[in-house]
Amino acid sequence: MTGAGLAAWAIEALIASTLLMALVLLLRAPVRRAFGPQVAYALWALPVLRLVLPPLPAGLRQAAATPLSRASETITVFVVDPAPGASTPAAVSATDMVASLLPAIAATLAVLWAIGAAGFLVWHMARHARFCRRMLTSAAAVEHLRGVRVIASPAAPGPLAFGVMRRYVAFPLDFSDRYDDDERALALEHEIGHHQRGDLVANWIALAVLALHWFNPVAWRAFRAFRADQELANDARVLAGRSAIDRHTYACAILKAAHGGAVSAACHLHTIDDLKGRLRMLTTSPRSRRRLAAGGALVTTLMVTGLGLTASGTSAAKAISTKVGAAVGVDLQAVPPAPPAPPAPPAAAAAPAAPAVPPAPAKAHRTRVTIVKNGRATSYEGAAADAYADPDARQVPPPPPALAMNQGPAVVAPPAPPLPPMPLIESRNCSTGGNGRTSYTEQRRDGRVTVICVNRIQAAARKAAISAVDAQRIKVSAMATAMQSLNATRASLAANVDMSAKDRQEALAEIDGAIREMQSEMRSAD
C-alpha cells in the first residue's frame, strides 16, 4: 500500500469508527432497557473492530461498490475519438503535481497525529505507574482469592481493581469498619468480577482507541459512556439471581464508596459519575435467556452490517475519502502515474531498398461502435464505425441516461430469469394441534397454497393478553419492592457520618431523582 493509500485508509477508519461511536451512543440506552446492560456493553466492540478492519480485497471491492439495483442495467457504448491534435497537458501536469504532494502531506499529517497519540499514551501509562506505586508502597496483604491479590492500602479511597499481568483488588484501611460482612462480600465480588470479565484489558484497549482519536470530542464522550456501561454490566453480573435484600445491601455498598476521581486504566466501585443510573439499574428485574439471546443476535447483526457498510473499499468509504480530500484540497483516491517505459533499442540497419512511392497515410479507424437497442446489440468496426459515427458526431444529440463512454466492447447482461408464480393464500379455522403453527403450506392440484389459521392466531392473542396481565402485576410488585429499597438506602445514606457533607448532598440528590422517577413509573403503571 502506498503512502497515499495508507493515509486514505487511516482517514476512512477514523471517520468510520467515529460514526459507529455516535451510533452506539444513540443505541446504548434503548438496548440496555430492552436487553440488559451486558448487551449494551457489547456494542462498544463495533468501533474497535472497525479500526482494525483491513481494506477489502480487490476482488470484493467491485462487488461492494456496485449497487444491486444496477446488476441488470443495459449499457449502450458509443466510442468517439478525440479531435485530431487534441491533448491534455494541463490534466497530466495537475495529476503529477498532486501525486508529488501526496507523500509530503500524508507524512505531515501522520507525524502530527502520531505525536498526539504517543503523548496521550505515555501520559496515561506514567500516571498509571505512579498510581500502582502509591497503592503498593504501604499496602498490607489480606488474602489471595481466585488468582487475585486482595490488599488494604491507605491510598485507596474505595474498593477498586487494577493490574493486568499482576491482578490486584485494593480496599481502604477502614474497609472492615465502614462496611458490614454482606457489603464487603458483594464489593469484593464486584472487583474480582472486573478481572474475570477482562475489563482491565478492555480499559487499555479503549485508551488505545482514545489515543488514536485524541483530537475527537465524540471519542471522549464515547469513552466515558463505555466506562459507565462497563460498571452497569458488572453490577448485573454480580446481582444475577440474588434477592431484593442483596440488591439493597449492594446499593448501600455503592453509596458508602461514593467518591470522585478515578484512574482510566483501573476499575472503581466508588465513582459517582453515573451513580443515578447504577442505583436505578438495581431496581430492574433480570432479563430472561431468550431476551439475552435476542440481544446477542441484534448486536451481531449490527456489527456485521456496520462493518460491511463502512469497510475500506466500499462506496461509502470512498465517499468519505473524497469529501475529506476535497476539504483539505488533496485527492486521496488519486493513483500515482506509472513510470515511463524505457526507450526501445535502435533497430538493426536494413539493406537499402529500391525507392518506392510512399503510401498515403491511412485514416485511423475507431475501434468499435456498439449500439444496444431493445436488448439487441449491433456492432460496427473500422470504416463502418466511422461511417456510422461521423454523421451523429456532427449533430451531437443529447446523450440518453444510459449512454456511457468506454474504449472497449459493451457487455450485454443476460435477461433476468422469470419469477416463480406467487403462492395462493387463504385463511380458515384449522384443527387443534399442529404444534400451534399459525400458518402452513399445502400442495394442491392448482399449485401451492399457504393457509393462515385464524382460530390459532386468536388463541395465541388471548394467551398473550393473559400473560401481559400477569407481567403487569409482577412489575407493580417489583416496583413497590424497589421503592422500599430506595427509601431504605436514602435513610442509610443520610445517616452516614463517614461521608463529607458535599458528597452526601450529591448522593442524596441522585437518589432523590431516582425515587421521583420510580414514583412516576409507578403512577404510569397504574
Side-chain angles (χ1 to χ4, degrees):
M1 185 181 296
T2 62
L6 182 61
W9 173 81
I11 292 174
E12 290 173 1
L14 291 176
I15 296 178
S17 59
T18 300
L19 295 177
L20 294 177
M21 288 178 191
L23 177 64
V24 175
L25 288 174
L26 292 176
L27 295 180
R28 55 188 287 265
V31 169
R32 182 172 62 247
R33 289 192 296 267
F35 303 105
Q38 297 99 326
V39 178
Y41 179 56
L43 288 174
W44 291 109
L46 181 56
V48 178
L49 292 177
R50 177 57 188 89
L51 275 177
V52 299
L53 183 68
L56 289 178
L60 296 179
R61 293 193 179 190
Q62 182 67 25
T66 304
L68 293 178
S69 61
R70 300 185 58 189
S72 61
E73 181 179 328
T74 301
I75 300 176
T76 300
V77 180
F78 187 76
V79 180
V80 178
D81 291 338
S87 60
T88 55
V92 174
S93 177
T95 302
D96 294 340
M97 183 179 299
V98 171
S100 62
L101 290 177
L102 277 177
I105 295 175
T108 303
L109 294 177
V111 168
L112 293 176
W113 167 78
I115 290 175
F120 178 91
L121 281 179
V122 169
W123 184 82
H124 274 279
M125 293 175 66
R127 185 167 179 252
H128 186 263
R130 291 195 302 268
F131 166 79
C132 293
R133 285 196 301 268
R134 189 170 65 253
M135 284 289 165
L136 299 176
T137 298
S138 57
V142 176
E143 58 180 327
H144 194 86
L145 184 63
R146 285 180 274 179
V148 179
R149 297 179 177 88
V150 182
I151 61 174
S153 174
L160 57 92
F162 65 96
V164 175
M165 304 302 296
R166 296 182 179 180
R167 303 188 295 177
Y168 294 95
V169 168
F171 294 111
L173 293 178
D174 58 349
F175 181 64
S176 59
D177 298 331
R178 292 172 53 193
Y179 298 76
D180 59 29
D181 293 339
D182 294 334
E183 293 171 349
R184 288 197 298 270
L186 289 173
L188 180 60
E189 184 67 24
H190 176 93
E191 301 305 332
I192 291 181
H194 279 304
H195 286 293
Q196 293 179 337
R197 285 162 36 91
D199 289 343
L200 281 302
V201 178
N203 287 347
W204 281 110
I205 295 175
L207 282 174
V209 173
L210 188 58
L212 299 177
H213 287 271
W214 59 267
F215 54 89
N216 189 354
V218 176
W220 288 90
R221 174 68 183 89
F223 180 78
R224 292 190 292 269
F226 158 78
R227 292 301 305 271
D229 290 342
Q230 183 184 84
E231 292 297 329
L232 290 174
N234 195 30
D235 291 340
R237 186 201 66 86
V238 173
L239 296 177
R242 295 185 181 268
S243 63
I245 298 177
D246 290 335
R247 290 174 177 265
H248 168 69
T249 303
Y250 192 69
C252 294
I254 292 177
L255 290 173
K256 287 182 179 180
H259 190 278
V263 177
S264 298
C267 295
H268 302 257
L269 179 67
H270 63 271
T271 54
I272 62 175
D273 296 336
D274 199 23
L275 182 62
K276 177 180 177 180
R278 296 181 68 184
L279 292 177
R280 185 177 180 182
M281 191 277 299
L282 299 181
T283 63
T284 59
S285 57
R287 273 66 177 179
S288 63
R289 292 184 177 180
R290 181 176 298 179
R291 182 70 66 87
L292 292 176
L298 173 64
V299 171
T300 303
T301 303
L302 285 175
M303 288 186 179
V304 173
T305 304
L307 294 177
L309 292 177
T310 62
S312 297
T314 60
S315 57
K318 184 177 180 180
I320 291 174
S321 294
T322 302
K323 291 182 179 180
V324 173
V328 300
V330 177
D331 185 8
L332 296 176
Q333 299 293 334
V335 179
V357 178
K363 180 180 178 180
H365 298 295
R366 293 169 174 82
T367 304
R368 177 178 294 182
V369 175
T370 302
I371 304 300
V372 178
K373 184 177 182 180
N374 298 328
R376 299 181 60 184
T378 304
S379 299
Y380 302 91
E381 297 184 0
D386 295 336
Y388 184 90
D390 289 340
D392 294 341
R394 289 193 295 268
Q395 297 177 8
V396 192
L403 191 61
M405 303 300 297
N406 199 342
Q407 293 297 326
V411 178
V412 181
L419 296 176
M422 296 295 293
L424 300 177
I425 299 175
E426 67 176 32
S427 59
R428 67 167 184 259
N429 291 333
C430 303
S431 61
T432 59
N435 297 326
R437 294 185 300 174
T438 58
S439 65
Y440 63 92
T441 303
E442 60 182 23
Q443 183 69 37
R444 298 181 183 176
R445 295 182 60 185
D446 54 350
R448 298 175 62 85
V449 179
T450 299
V451 179
I452 300 177
C453 302
V454 179
N455 58 332
R456 293 180 184 175
I457 294 176
Q458 293 174 349
R462 288 193 297 270
K463 183 178 179 181
I466 296 173
S467 300
V469 173
D470 294 339
Q472 181 67 16
R473 187 182 301 111
I474 295 172
K475 181 178 179 181
V476 172
S477 176
M479 286 183 176
T481 303
M483 180 59 69
Q484 294 177 0
S485 177
L486 285 174
N487 290 329
T489 301
R490 191 189 188 286
S492 175
L493 178 64
N496 187 358
V497 298
D498 296 328
M499 298 179 63
S500 64
K502 180 179 178 181
D503 291 342
R504 186 185 301 108
Q505 183 178 3
E506 292 180 356
L508 286 174
E510 292 285 346
I511 198 170
D512 286 341
I515 290 174
R516 287 193 298 270
E517 291 187 7
M518 183 59 65
Q519 290 174 346
S520 176
E521 291 185 7
M522 292 178 68
R523 286 194 297 269
S524 61
D526 295 337

